[in-house]
Amino acid sequence: MARTQAERRADTRDRLLQAAAARFAADGIDGASIDAIADDADRTSGSVYAHFGSKEGLLLALLDSWKNDVAVAATAEMATAPTMPGRLAALWRNFADPPNDGAHWVQLEHELWLYATRHADARDQLADRYRDIRRTVRDEMGQWRASGDITPPVADDVLGALLVALLIGLEMQHRLDPDAIDERVALAGLAALLGVTEPTEVMT
Amino acid sequence: MARTQAERRADTRDRLLQAAAARFAADGIDGASIDAIADDADRTSGSVYAHFGSKEGLLLALLDSWKNDVAVAATAEMATAPTMPGRLAALWRNFADPPNDGAHWVQLEHELWLYATRHADARDQLADRYRDIRRTVRDEMGQWRASGDITPPVADDVLGALLVALLIGLEMQHRLDPDAIDERVALAGLAALLGVTEPTEVMT
DNA sequence: GGCTTTATATAGCCTCCGCTATATTTCTCT
DNA sequence: AGAGAAATATAGCGGAGGCTATATAAAGCC
């Protein structure tokens, strides 16, 4: 094999992290065994310990590497919709019924949150991430406001937190009861927070 | 002891359920051991199995018996505040920094939610609970609207879901970063959803 | 091509924990 | 009071899983 050691190592690391993400999401952080994760990555538990030292080490590394590409993708897709309700609908759909492997993303977020609840270091990292997300959302909304697309009834500096909160909370309820929390509910909430005066009926 | 068997049994059952709630909240459902729970209840693991058959049985029984008294208490306390922002502040505080053992209530909710995510029967039960909560909130808000205290920009039938979502989502962020998500943010969000036109400054 | 270093695999120890089988205590009923 | 039933306690099995010690394989280096 013409692979350098560094490449080999990096590849294994990536595989392990990806497998860890999938397993943690599927079985829970506690429910996922190191062996299962290593298997998924076509490696063995020994390599996990060579790389991360412990299960907690693996989790912290994951937390560190874990950029929610899905959030980025969602924003991108959102921009393509012409009308404002269309954009909001796209946003919600990416959250509620994510395409492809996006589903495990949301689940993992919750696992990490609950873990962070009990571990100060993880909490700090997650807190940073959420700060970033709020800031991104706030900036984006600031532009929309400036361009007159939305007229939120709240100050920009709280808008990020509120939108994130609403989406998370709606998604949680949606998971328990998809029929009760549908797109209509989500759009109403987003529109209220953003000051979108529901111009016409939403076209699906 | 002049205790009937039924009383003895009921007492033990209560103790076990209460201990289970505390332990599940503190250590996580997976992290809490049956022995630890039994110890907390001044019983032994044997009695847990006599009562509930399995750990899952214990959890389902807990889910069944678990009425969030805190939610009720919060509503009651809320009603005492004279001004609308005062009421909303009380609501938020009961969520964000619950008095007494209320803290473990919120944590347990999250544990249960995550568990329900992976177990259909638990999911159905939790879904029912959340439906109830939404209905309660909706009814309460309907009255407020009727009496002119609030003028929500959304229909009554979605208001429950939106308020619950906002509170859950804000609380989650608050847990990670209490300074970033403070009362000001929460009040702004609640006011926006409820159409409260922030009459004056909030008096603390 | 050999020697060293790095990366991954193998095997197994040890603790924890869910659970069961059985003993013991507490109430019930006559 | 004493036999039977119900409730709780005791002891320990068995498996899972985190982790370590060590062996093998792959790359670097001269």
Side-chain angles (χ1 to χ4, degrees):
Chain A
M1 301 291 157
R3 276 199 314 177
T4 182
Q5 292 278 63
E7 284 170 347
R8 227 161 68 104
R9 188 172 174 79
D11 175 48
T12 295
R13 196 186 140 94
D14 279 358
R15 282 166 165 273
L16 289 175
L17 285 176
Q18 205 167 325
R23 277 289 172 186
F24 283 156
D27 305 334
I29 291 175
D30 227 75
S33 80
I34 298 289
D35 277 315
I37 292 172
D39 271 10
D40 282 8
D42 277 310
R43 292 294 181 276
T44 61
S45 69
S47 86
V48 172
Y49 287 92
H51 274 266
F52 305 105
S54 68
K55 190 175 185 177
E56 188 182 2
L58 172 59
L59 196 139
L60 290 178
L62 176 62
L63 198 48
D64 200 45
S65 80
W66 181 249
K67 307 291 177 224
N68 24 19
D69 323 293
V70 182
V72 177
T75 316
E77 189 189 328
M78 218 170 52
T80 71
T83 96
M84 181 54 58
R87 286 191 208 175
L88 299 182
L91 173 62
W92 168 247
R93 266 193 299 262
N94 266 290
F95 232 77
D97 306 292
N100 301 332
D101 56 346
H104 97 214
W105 158 66
V106 183
Q107 186 78 16
L108 182 54
E109 252 348 297
H110 282 285
E111 286 289 340
L112 293 177
W113 182 86
L114 207 47
Y115 180 88
T117 281
R118 302 195 172 89
H119 298 82
D121 40 0
R123 180 168 59 241
D124 294 344
Q125 263 183 272
L126 248 199
D128 277 352
R129 254 249 303 288
Y130 274 85
R131 252 193 297 275
D132 278 356
I133 294 175
R134 286 195 294 266
R135 195 165 33 74
T136 304
V137 172
R138 165 169 57 76
D139 291 349
E140 187 78 11
M141 294 305 120
Q143 290 189 342
W144 290 13
R145 189 206 287 267
S147 65
D149 289 328
I150 61 176
T151 54
V154 296
D156 270 355
D157 69 316
V158 300
L159 193 51
L162 296 179
L163 280 176
V164 170
L166 189 70
L167 284 171
I168 292 177
L170 284 174
E171 188 264 341
M172 284 181 73
Q173 295 179 72
H174 174 77
R175 288 289 272 297
L176 295 180
D177 193 345
D179 296 329
I181 310 299
D182 58 5
E183 194 170 295
R184 198 185 111 259
V185 177
L187 287 184
L190 291 171
L193 279 188
L194 292 175
V196 175
T197 50
E198 196 137 8
T200 79
E201 266 311 299
V202 182
M203 54 205 60
T204 50
Chain B
M1 300 293 156
R3 276 200 313 177
T4 183
Q5 292 278 62
E7 284 170 346
R8 225 160 68 103
R9 188 172 172 80
D11 175 48
T12 296
R13 195 187 141 94
D14 279 358
R15 282 165 166 273
L16 290 175
L17 285 176
Q18 206 167 325
R23 276 288 172 188
F24 283 157
D27 304 335
I29 291 175
D30 228 76
S33 79
I34 297 288
D35 278 315
I37 292 172
D39 271 10
D40 281 8
D42 277 312
R43 292 293 181 277
T44 60
S45 69
S47 85
V48 173
Y49 287 92
H51 274 266
F52 305 104
S54 70
K55 190 175 185 178
E56 187 181 3
L58 172 60
L59 196 139
L60 289 178
L62 176 62
L63 198 49
D64 201 44
S65 81
W66 181 248
K67 308 291 176 222
N68 25 19
D69 323 294
V70 183
V72 177
T75 316
E77 188 189 329
M78 218 170 52
T80 72
T83 95
M84 181 54 59
R87 285 189 209 175
L88 299 183
L91 173 62
W92 168 246
R93 267 194 299 263
N94 266 291
F95 233 78
D97 306 292
N100 302 329
D101 56 345
H104 96 216
W105 159 65
V106 183
Q107 186 78 16
L108 183 54
E109 273 313 324
H110 283 283
E111 287 289 341
L112 293 177
W113 182 87
L114 207 47
Y115 181 88
T117 281
R118 301 195 172 91
H119 298 80
D121 40 359
R123 180 167 61 242
D124 293 344
Q125 262 183 273
L126 248 199
D128 277 352
R129 254 250 303 290
Y130 275 83
R131 252 193 297 277
D132 278 355
I133 295 176
R134 286 195 293 268
R135 195 165 32 74
T136 305
V137 173
R138 163 168 59 75
D139 291 349
E140 188 77 11
M141 294 305 121
Q143 290 189 341
W144 289 14
R145 190 207 287 266
S147 65
D149 289 328
I150 60 176
T151 54
V154 296
D156 269 355
D157 68 317
V158 299
L159 193 50
L162 296 179
L163 280 177
V164 169
L166 189 69
L167 284 171
I168 293 177
L170 284 174
E171 188 264 341
M172 285 181 74
Q173 296 179 72
H174 174 78
R175 290 289 271 298
L176 295 179
D177 194 344
D179 296 329
I181 310 299
D182 58 5
E183 195 170 294
R184 199 186 110 257
V185 178
L187 287 184
L190 291 172
L193 278 188
L194 292 175
V196 175
T197 50
E198 196 137 8
T200 78
E201 267 308 300
V202 182
M203 54 205 62
T204 50

